[in-house]
Amino acid sequence: MFAYLVRRVIGAVVLLFIVTAVTFAIFFQVPKLGGATADDLASRYVGKSAGAAQIHETAVRLGFTDPLYEQYGRFVKGLFVGQEYNYGPSTEHCPAPCFGYSFLTQQPVWPDLVARLPVTASLAGGAAFIWLVTGVGTGIISALRRGSVLDRSLMSVALAGVSLPIFFTGLLSLSIFSYGLGWTVAGGTNPMDETNPIWWAYSLLLPWVTLAFLYAASYARLTRAGMLETMNEDFVRTARAKGLTERTVVMKHGLRSALTPILTIFGLDLGLLMGGAILTETTFSLPGIGQYAVIALRVNDLPKVLGVTLVAAFFIVLANLIVDLLYAVVDPRVRIS
Amino acid sequence: MSIEEIDSTAVPGVVPPALGEELLSVEGLVKHFPIRKGLLQRQSGAVQAVDGLTFNVTRGETLSLVGESGCGKTTTGRLLTRLLEPTAGKIVFEGRDISHLSEGKMRPLRRDVQMIFQDPYGSLNPRHTVGKIIGAPYKLQNVKTEHGVKRAVQELLELVGLSPEHYNRYPHEFSGGQRQRIGIARTLALRPKLIVADEPVSALDVSIQAQVVNLLEDLQKEFDLTYVMIAHDLSVVRHVSDRVAVMYLGKIVEIADRVSLYEKPMHPYTVALLSAVPVPDTKRKGNVKRIRLEGDVPSPINPPPACRFHTRCWKAQDICKTTEPPLLQLAPGHQAACHFPENQPGGESTIPVSTAQAK
Amino acid sequence: MTENQDSVVQRVQRGEAFLDVRDLRVHFPTDDGLVKSVDGISFQLERGKTLGIVGESGSGKSVTSMAIMGLHGRGGARITGEIFLDGQDLVASTPEEVRLLRGKRMAMIFQDPLSAMHPFYTVGAQIVEAYRVHNQVTKKVARKHAIDMLDRVGIPQPDKRVDAYPHQFSGGMRQRAMIAMALSCDPDLLIADEPTTALDVTVQAQILDLIRDLQREFNSAVIIITHDLGVVAELADDIQVMYGGRAIEYGTAEDIFDSPQHPYTWGLLGSMPRIDRERTERLIPIKGTPPSLINIPQGCAFNPRCNYAHLNGGASETDRPELLDIGSGHKVACHLSPQQRQHAWETDIKPKL
Ligand SMILES: Nc1ncnc2c1ncn2[C@@H]1O[C@H](COP(=O)(O)OP(=O)(O)O)[C@@H](O)[C@H]1O
Ligand SMILES: Nc1ncnc2c1ncn2[C@@H]1O[C@H](COP(=O)(O)OP(=O)(O)O)[C@@H](O)[C@H]1O
Ligand code: SF4
Ligand code: SF4
Ligand SMILES: [Mg+2]
Ligand SMILES: [Mg+2]
């Protein structure tokens, strides 16, 4: 078990390095393959009036002319000890977890990410709670009442949920509940503005529900399929043969096995969302990481995009690791082989 | 009939042995599956699935491999058909060493050596028609048939007791017994010399099992087939075999012709196996002294030293734990690997033999 | 006198034997049609006795046992007839009443002990659970009981093995653990559905010995379901042979093995290679394949495969033969006359077995 744990952690760290390297290469090498020179890159960071010599000088100072591995090495080092950017007139310091430095806004990326992460985390966490409860609950009820009118209607709703995109359900719910009925706030507010938890929940309610609806629908379908399968397993028959109540049979014997694969998917979904729920944040104008990425992409601010990508990759890898370890906790066959 | 018109010698220049000659011989055959463990996934041991088999198969005979599950029967079968590469040892087929032949060099030989599997459904592609499944070997091996592949397949269908009209049906439309017939028909398409049948009737109901056993026997007579039959049902094995090899933890502990093995088993393990077979005879209920083996088969990862059976053997002495008994010829056509064999010629039998009482 | 008569009436209504199954039918409506998995079977079983149910796969053996245990969900199955367990009709009882009997008065072990145990819970936890549903005891007491039970079914070091997971047991040990679980509440009826089919012969022999010994010890009624005639011969006092969802022959083990009366039973015996007899040159299989339970053949379900169907002037193809007593409790469902049967058995069948 210990060896397994260590192996997984090492694997996760190695994976993160590979992901940063690949992302780094894509962001800084691919434009060059498209014909852009180091000077072209640097030209984005100096004023329009700058001459070619000045641009080239900047490119050299920023290290764009160095071989890629050196640039990557500096970047990784920056993650741990911070980095200096010699920016011509002034030298900018980017402190310790240096996730890059935006030359457009002349600010390090990391503080922006830190400021925006709570919004994204609130959105993802709250929505995850809602979809887990409703999705899995719906799935169980549907499975136990298989073929009934209730089952069929729930599954039709779920099918709709899976197939409707967020910007559609989001805009629809905004126009009904916010603009129409005035029950919730319109987009554009920051739920972290006040320390009041009621305001927090109130301003996030609509995004939560909208995002959760999409996921709840697919979780309901997954849970239903999983439950139908496990309730046919021999060990469920054994549980019934012991004389356990149907409730115990379903909750203790059926659900526990059916939920194990869902656990995996849940971890990955949550990890993915922590890197920014781009559509939801955009639709509801929430100042989260996803929105940050969209804005940065629009103005081609590569260091910011790179920073977001790395955060997203980190959460996905972390989620993966946690899921694997949880799996070992839940399933003794993984733990004791 | 077109099947017979196919050139029966796949390897040019090799004279097929006549009936009664040695078709296959195996010497010191070993297959270990490595186990990897720990942080670096280093090899920490091996599953000693097959550990030093030596036997031969005579043309036209049926040799059965029996033993408890996990003793390496299937692995042996897959080695003989070269679906697996042996870790060590030699497999000689028709005088040719095939132990390490490459896939390409094995190809012509695949015509001669075929395998039948236990699960008739799992080994048939559900999306192909019966015609396509049985016809596939012709295509794979580029074999010309006189009246076309379809005729040949239909003849095969008839041969195994199916109707030629089944040509366009799919495997799921057939019962378990019929599927096994399809599997057999496919195996027969290229008129192999050796068929390795891995538990061909284990999954079938008794009445259907008898049909398939009879079919296999009829085909053997008709086409001079040689079978290596893998089975765990000792009653079926006695019915179909000419010779029987008993395996325990990757080794052959006894090999003998049928009559000798069933009437005078020498290895204590064989004696125990035979004594455990439930017999449909109420008179035996309760009043036959049974040998009951205790516990389970040890793991093939760490098999007991010397005689691998000593942990469960009621005759075990100290020597059994230190010196491995060699497989020795103890009676004509009868080899066993035991320091204290039962039923030795001249020696007295200490255990009543299951076949002896019922007559 | 009247009192006596009353009690007879009572007994008849409440079942005559400890387990009294009467005209049990289990039908499943499906998209393809009505599956008559069990179509009218009756048998009786006393405590301390063993009934063997044999038949090929799909003949309705498992469906019968699940019906007795009340394990067919409300939705799927249509169950009619009566199942009296110690006087209580299980078919007429509510699901909750049957649940309270399950595990306590009747218990079951299954074919594949690996899939029949929950992979996430220890063997001990699963036995404790079974014991505590029906007994108000602390976890500690239940655990002690679980260790006792594991010890009784012959698991070495039960105090350690109680905390192991099913996948850490071998096949034979798992089946022992299943038996320990089934017997944890000291049931009066134990149903073993193919308990040794997935096991090797040596382990099968151990398990059969164990079931026999434990039955003597607990004096319970046992139903052993199997397709292996050898296994029933080892254990059963009475045997019911099933074909196409019905019993076609019923008798003591001696009746069935020494003077079987039904052509299907003959077919089964002829199909089996016998290790205890001279080797025959050829097995005598039953021709054809078992019937579909949606389209059971008219008349005798066995008639398309029967070598004697032509002897009955068409009755085999049109009238379904009832299971009738041919003397001393040996029952057969076949139109052949006793003389014809005797003749066929003596001349065609017996010499070839
Ligand atoms: N591909 C494989 N990798 C590792 N172990 C294997 C593999 N195939 C078989 N084994 C092991 O080898 C042993 C013999 O297996 P097998 O030949 O299938 O036995 P049998 O057919 O007699 O039941 C078993 O312990 C099995 O677990
Ligand atoms: N829930 C079900 N729905 C429909 N058919 C069923 C169901 N359960 C069992 N059957 C059918 O009943 C028949 C008898 O099954 P079973 O009692 O399991 O046979 P066996 O004698 O092999 O134990 C089979 O044909 C099976 O397909
Ligand atoms: S060598 Fe010894 S332990 Fe092995 S089978 Fe013979 S008597 Fe038993
Ligand atoms: S009733 Fe007719 S078909 Fe059925 S078993 Fe008897 S002889 Fe055969
Ligand atoms: Mg095998
Ligand atoms: Mg069954």
Side-chain angles (χ1 to χ4, degrees):
Chain A
M1 181 63 196
F2 183 72
Y4 173 78
L5 206 148
V6 173
R7 208 164 59 231
R8 298 299 328 203
V9 172
I10 293 176
V13 171
V14 169
L15 188 62
L16 263 183
F17 270 100
I18 294 172
V19 171
T20 48
V22 170
T23 326
F24 194 86
I26 289 171
F27 277 105
F28 289 101
Q29 194 64 22
V30 170
K32 287 185 194 166
L33 293 181
T37 60
D39 291 1
D40 290 342
L41 269 177
S43 71
R44 294 206 198 124
Y45 302 105
V46 292
K48 284 206 176 84
S49 56
Q54 199 187 343
I55 291 175
H56 183 70
E57 198 185 333
T58 313
V60 172
R61 261 196 244 112
L62 289 176
F64 288 165
T65 49
D66 295 342
L68 192 68
Y69 65 86
E70 270 181 33
Q71 297 187 41
Y72 176 64
R74 266 205 303 279
F75 180 78
V76 173
K77 193 174 150 214
L79 284 176
F80 295 101
V81 298
Q83 198 176 342
E84 303 290 320
Y85 285 94
N86 188 345
Y87 194 51
S90 61
T91 296
E92 299 294 337
H93 179 66
C94 174
C98 179
F99 269 64
Y101 186 86
S102 164
F103 304 109
L104 284 181
T105 55
Q106 307 210 352
Q107 268 166 353
V109 173
W110 178 246
D112 284 352
L113 292 176
V114 171
R116 284 165 174 269
L117 197 59
V119 177
T120 296
S122 303
L123 174 64
F129 178 76
I130 297 174
W131 91 57
L132 202 57
V133 173
T134 56
V136 170
T138 310
I140 297 172
I141 293 169
S142 263
L144 295 183
R145 300 252 181 289
R146 178 191 191 170
S148 66
V149 179
L150 182 68
D151 172 31
R152 275 185 228 145
S153 18
L154 286 175
M155 280 306 116
S156 317
V157 176
L159 186 64
V162 177
S163 28
L164 294 179
I166 282 277
F167 48 80
F168 177 77
T169 47
L171 290 177
L172 191 69
S173 59
L174 262 181
S175 62
I176 295 175
F177 295 106
S178 180
Y179 309 132
L181 297 169
W183 288 358
T184 59
V185 289
T189 48
N190 187 344
M192 311 317 279
D193 274 353
E194 297 169 43
T195 48
N196 180 353
I198 295 177
W199 162 253
W200 173 75
Y202 178 66
S203 63
L204 276 168
L205 193 62
L206 212 49
W208 276 346
V209 173
T210 312
L211 184 57
F213 180 55
L214 174 75
Y215 282 94
S218 74
Y219 277 61
R221 289 155 60 91
L222 284 171
T223 309
R224 180 178 182 272
M227 277 302 276
L228 286 181
E229 206 184 304
T230 35
M231 291 309 282
N232 272 327
E233 293 276 0
D234 285 0
F235 59 74
V236 168
R237 188 182 54 188
T238 309
R240 290 212 174 96
K242 290 194 227 176
L244 300 179
T245 58
E246 193 57 22
R247 198 187 141 82
T248 316
V249 172
V250 172
M251 302 308 278
K252 194 172 162 193
H253 292 256
L255 194 56
R256 182 147 176 214
S257 314
L259 279 189
T260 334
I262 291 177
L263 183 76
T264 317
I265 300 165
F266 178 71
L268 295 182
D269 282 344
L270 195 59
L272 211 59
L273 279 182
M274 288 299 288
I278 294 183
L279 283 178
T280 316
E281 288 176 17
T282 312
T283 309
F284 292 95
S285 314
L286 288 170
I289 292 194
Q291 194 199 36
Y292 186 68
V294 171
I295 294 170
L297 268 174
R298 224 176 268 148
V299 295
N300 226 337
D301 196 347
L302 288 184
K304 283 187 186 172
V305 180
L306 177 62
V308 172
T309 312
L310 291 187
V311 170
F314 170 76
F315 279 116
I316 292 170
V317 171
L318 181 73
N320 227 327
L321 179 67
I322 293 176
V323 163
D324 276 355
L325 298 183
L326 271 184
Y327 225 110
V329 172
V330 175
D331 189 342
R333 286 169 301 183
V334 177
R335 203 180 329 142
I336 317 156
S337 55
Chain B
M1 158 166 186
S2 63
I3 308 163
E4 286 174 306
E5 282 147 17
I6 302 166
D7 171 21
S8 67
T9 326
V11 189
V14 175
V15 189
L19 213 68
E21 265 177 60
E22 185 173 284
L23 181 70
L24 176 83
S25 85
V26 171
E27 213 183 299
L29 191 63
V30 174
K31 181 71 196 180
H32 288 183
F33 296 102
I35 308 167
R36 301 182 189 286
K37 254 207 185 126
L39 262 182
L40 302 171
Q41 295 287 289
R42 258 195 304 239
Q43 185 176 340
S44 66
V47 181
Q48 307 182 10
V50 168
D51 202 35
L53 303 187
T54 300
F55 61 91
N56 53 28
V57 185
T58 312
R59 190 176 157 90
E61 78 166 343
T62 301
L63 171 73
S64 288
L65 303 177
V66 301
E68 285 166 285
S69 58
C71 70
K73 306 182 295 294
T74 299
T75 306
T76 308
R78 297 173 68 87
L79 286 168
L80 297 184
T81 48
R82 276 304 319 280
L83 296 170
L84 285 174
E85 172 134 13
T87 310
K90 213 160 109 178
I91 305 169
V92 177
F93 180 76
E94 292 195 317
R96 190 162 166 219
D97 187 344
I98 62 165
S99 338
H100 300 284
L101 279 193
S102 65
E103 185 57 34
K105 290 226 178 88
M106 258 318 280
R107 232 177 124 160
L109 266 160
R110 294 238 180 271
R111 280 177 65 176
D112 290 343
V113 184
Q114 291 276 333
M115 191 147 179
I116 302 177
F117 300 92
Q118 168 174 10
D119 174 11
Y121 200 53
S123 59
L124 303 177
N125 186 335
R127 279 185 295 277
H128 288 177
T129 61
V130 166
K132 193 163 177 193
I133 290 171
I134 302 177
Y138 293 111
K139 297 238 164 62
L140 275 173
Q141 297 273 356
N142 266 324
V143 173
K144 298 274 174 303
T145 43
E146 185 156 332
H147 306 285
V149 171
K150 182 162 179 177
R151 259 297 278 288
V153 169
Q154 287 178 333
E155 273 159 359
L156 278 170
L157 282 172
E158 266 182 346
L159 194 64
V160 297
L162 294 169
S163 151
E165 283 107 65
H166 289 148
Y167 187 84
N168 281 318
R169 302 243 192 112
Y170 289 88
H172 71 89
E173 298 174 57
F174 294 88
S175 67
Q178 288 174 317
R179 285 180 201 142
Q180 195 53 287
R181 287 173 193 268
I182 297 171
I184 293 171
R186 174 180 57 182
T187 310
L188 285 177
L190 298 171
R191 294 223 34 215
K193 293 171 187 154
L194 175 69
I195 293 182
V196 177
D198 189 358
E199 310 260 8
V201 297
S202 303
L204 305 177
D205 271 317
V206 222
S207 70
I208 310 300
Q209 178 176 311
Q211 295 172 357
V212 175
V213 164
N214 283 353
L215 172 65
L216 287 171
E217 290 192 325
D218 293 345
L219 293 172
Q220 180 168 40
K221 275 192 209 110
E222 188 162 350
F223 298 115
D224 293 336
L225 294 172
T226 309
Y227 290 137
V228 171
M229 198 78 84
I230 294 169
H232 63 259
D233 182 330
L234 287 150
S235 313
V236 172
V237 166
R238 185 177 80 142
H239 186 83
V240 300
S241 320
D242 298 306
R243 285 192 308 140
V244 181
V246 181
M247 289 180 67
Y248 188 77
L249 275 175
K251 289 190 185 287
I252 290 180
V253 295
E254 181 161 10
I255 180 166
D257 61 74
R258 175 188 68 230
V259 177
S260 180
L261 188 107
Y262 279 81
E263 292 186 357
K264 289 187 162 38
M266 291 182 175
H267 199 281
Y269 178 61
T270 313
V271 174
L273 271 186
L274 288 175
S275 142
V277 177
V279 171
D281 184 347
T282 49
K283 289 178 211 72
R284 278 179 39 131
K285 190 157 70 181
N287 54 24
V288 179
K289 203 175 158 311
R290 286 274 163 91
I291 299 152
R292 286 287 184 258
L293 290 186
E294 307 259 307
D296 300 297
V297 187
S299 150
I301 298 168
N302 258 321
C307 176
R308 292 188 170 183
F309 187 54
H310 80 245
T311 52
R312 299 168 84 196
C313 182
W314 68 98
K315 297 182 81 182
Q317 308 278 327
D318 285 342
I319 184 178
C320 306
K321 295 168 197 161
T322 52
T323 314
E324 175 164 357
L327 188 64
L328 291 180
Q329 175 115 355
L330 300 175
H334 197 143
Q335 293 172 296
C338 174
H339 293 302
F340 309 103
E342 303 275 324
N343 292 313
Q344 263 187 299
E348 72 217 84
S349 161
T350 50
I351 304 292
V353 180
S354 67
T355 30
Q357 321 117 8
K359 297 223 182 106
Chain C
M1 189 65 204
T2 44
E3 202 182 301
N4 213 335
Q5 281 219 324
D6 269 359
S7 82
V8 167
V9 171
Q10 274 275 316
R11 279 181 72 76
V12 170
Q13 276 169 355
R14 300 182 52 221
E16 281 166 8
F18 172 66
L19 176 70
D20 191 348
V21 175
R22 294 183 186 175
D23 199 25
L24 178 68
R25 281 162 213 268
V26 186
H27 294 178
F28 296 96
T30 67
D31 294 343
D32 301 328
L34 189 64
V35 182
K36 298 182 175 176
S37 295
V38 174
D39 202 29
I41 61 167
S42 307
F43 58 81
Q44 300 180 342
L45 181 62
E46 293 293 356
R47 279 198 191 85
K49 291 284 180 196
T50 302
L51 170 71
I53 301 182
V54 288
E56 292 177 277
S57 59
S59 57
K61 306 182 296 292
S62 298
V63 169
T64 306
S65 59
M66 305 260 289
I68 297 173
M69 291 289 290
L71 288 174
H72 292 297
R74 287 266 114 168
R78 275 192 218 143
I79 305 178
T80 58
E82 285 138 357
I83 302 169
F84 291 103
L85 182 77
D86 207 10
Q88 180 180 352
D89 184 1
L90 303 178
V91 177
S93 301
T94 65
E96 183 61 10
E97 285 168 339
V98 180
R99 177 184 76 77
L100 290 171
L101 296 175
R102 235 180 356 245
K104 186 174 169 64
R105 301 214 59 191
M106 52 185 181
M108 190 159 174
I109 53 179
F110 302 98
Q111 173 171 349
D112 181 357
L114 181 60
S115 63
M117 297 188 113
H118 201 296
F120 294 176
Y121 300 106
T122 62
V123 170
Q126 300 189 48
I127 300 176
V128 164
E129 187 182 36
Y131 188 53
R132 289 188 74 207
V133 205
H134 301 293
N135 296 278
Q136 262 59 52
V137 295
T138 61
K139 282 201 173 139
K140 217 173 137 198
V141 174
R143 186 183 153 87
K144 171 107 199 357
H145 182 70
I147 296 174
D148 281 350
M149 289 308 301
L150 288 176
D151 192 26
R152 252 156 116 178
V153 297
I155 289 191
Q157 296 183 296
D159 48 333
K160 293 214 179 68
R161 305 297 274 172
V162 72
D163 293 319
Y165 289 94
H167 75 275
Q168 296 172 295
F169 276 26
S170 68
M173 300 261 275
R174 281 194 279 264
Q175 196 58 291
R176 284 173 192 269
M178 275 300 290
I179 294 175
M181 183 150 78
L183 296 184
S184 63
C185 295
D186 194 1
D188 303 306
L189 171 65
L190 175 69
I191 303 178
D193 189 352
E194 311 256 5
T196 59
T197 305
L199 306 173
D200 278 313
V201 281
T202 55
V203 182
Q204 164 168 290
Q206 295 169 3
I207 297 292
L208 294 181
D209 284 350
L210 177 68
I211 292 177
R212 190 187 301 118
D213 293 349
L214 290 172
Q215 170 177 36
R216 287 203 191 112
E217 194 178 327
F218 287 78
N219 193 37
S220 43
V222 172
I223 298 178
I224 179 144
I225 293 172
T226 171
H227 65 270
D228 186 337
L229 286 168
V231 170
V232 277
E234 294 259 327
L235 287 185
D237 300 303
D238 288 344
I239 292 172
Q240 167 170 297
V241 185
M242 286 186 74
Y243 187 80
R246 287 174 65 84
I248 51 94
E249 184 160 4
Y250 184 99
T252 62
E254 287 73 22
D255 288 341
I256 301 292
F257 287 111
D258 302 341
S259 57
Q261 296 291 317
H262 195 281
Y264 177 63
T265 315
W266 297 340
L268 280 183
L269 288 167
S271 302
M272 288 195 351
R274 298 274 296 254
I275 202 170
D276 59 329
R277 304 269 169 93
E278 281 296 341
R279 178 174 171 276
T280 52
E281 262 321 301
R282 233 177 138 65
L283 299 176
I284 315 155
I286 306 172
K287 65 187 181 205
T289 49
S292 141
L293 292 178
I294 294 176
N295 272 317
I296 296 177
Q298 277 273 309
C300 173
F302 187 56
N303 84 67
R305 307 176 73 189
C306 181
N307 288 333
Y308 305 94
H310 62 278
L311 295 178
N312 297 298
S316 292
E317 287 80 16
T318 51
D319 298 338
R320 188 164 76 181
E322 291 302 321
L323 189 68
L324 297 175
D325 201 329
I326 56 163
S328 63
H330 189 169
K331 297 176 190 165
V332 184
C334 173
H335 291 303
L336 289 176
S337 70
Q339 295 75 24
Q340 285 170 316
R341 262 200 301 264
Q342 192 63 22
H343 183 253
W345 167 243
E346 297 287 349
T347 57
D348 289 0
I349 312 297
K350 202 174 172 190
K352 290 188 197 153
L353 287 185

